[in-house]
Amino acid sequence: MIRMTYAEITGDRLLALLEALANPHRLLIVSILSRERKYVSQLARELDMSRPLLYMHLKKMEKAGIVKSTLELSDDGKAMKYYELVPFDLPLNQEMIAKAAESLTIKPKGSGS
């Protein structure tokens, strides 16, 4: 399990995690993958979502470190891409956010920094 402490979480990492989770489709993906890993076609059917759209969501989640993928061959020789959740524990409170904000490399427009 990835357990992030105050010292380990940077502003950019926190922003990537929150952006990756700030979507109802991605929350559903987390919910499904929290039970078991799935291959893309199976996950797309469960979500009633096109594979290209699903890949877009999974790419954002993988970049944030929330999911990981493996490519496996089925018994009949088909390549199957499986996704699984990377277990995480993110202690989110005002102190952690304030500390992480100090290390942001991406500054909001109009912040004067």
Side-chain angles (χ1 to χ4, degrees):
M1 174 180 292
I2 296 174
R3 189 173 306 265
M4 292 167 235
T5 65
Y6 289 171
E8 297 168 326
I9 193 85
T10 65
D12 295 343
R13 175 85 171 121
L14 177 61
L15 195 57
L17 286 166
L18 294 176
E19 284 178 349
L21 293 171
N23 181 285
H25 296 292
R26 293 191 286 265
L27 290 180
L28 288 171
I29 292 168
V30 168
S31 174
I32 291 169
L33 294 180
S34 70
R35 295 187 295 273
E36 65 179 316
R37 73 186 190 128
K38 300 277 184 173
Y39 63 94
V40 172
S41 295
Q42 186 181 26
L43 189 55
R45 281 191 300 275
E46 282 188 42
L47 292 164
D48 194 26
M49 180 184 294
S50 71
R51 286 191 312 190
L53 180 59
L54 177 58
Y55 271 119
M56 187 225 27
H57 288 298
L58 289 168
K59 183 178 177 183
K60 186 165 192 84
M61 295 172 75
E62 195 164 24
K63 187 175 177 183
I66 296 170
V67 298
K68 65 181 179 178
S69 63
T70 54
L71 194 58
E72 298 178 15
L73 288 178
S74 67
D75 292 338
D76 60 358
K78 289 183 189 175
M80 299 174 70
K81 192 164 193 176
Y82 280 88
Y83 279 88
E84 63 184 290
L85 191 65
V86 175
F88 60 93
D89 181 20
L90 181 62
L92 192 60
N93 60 41
Q94 65 272 16
E95 289 89 13
M96 191 272 284
I97 292 171
K99 178 150 179 52
E102 293 172 4
S103 66
L104 278 171
T105 60
I106 303 166
K107 300 296 181 187
K109 291 181 181 178
S111 68
S113 300

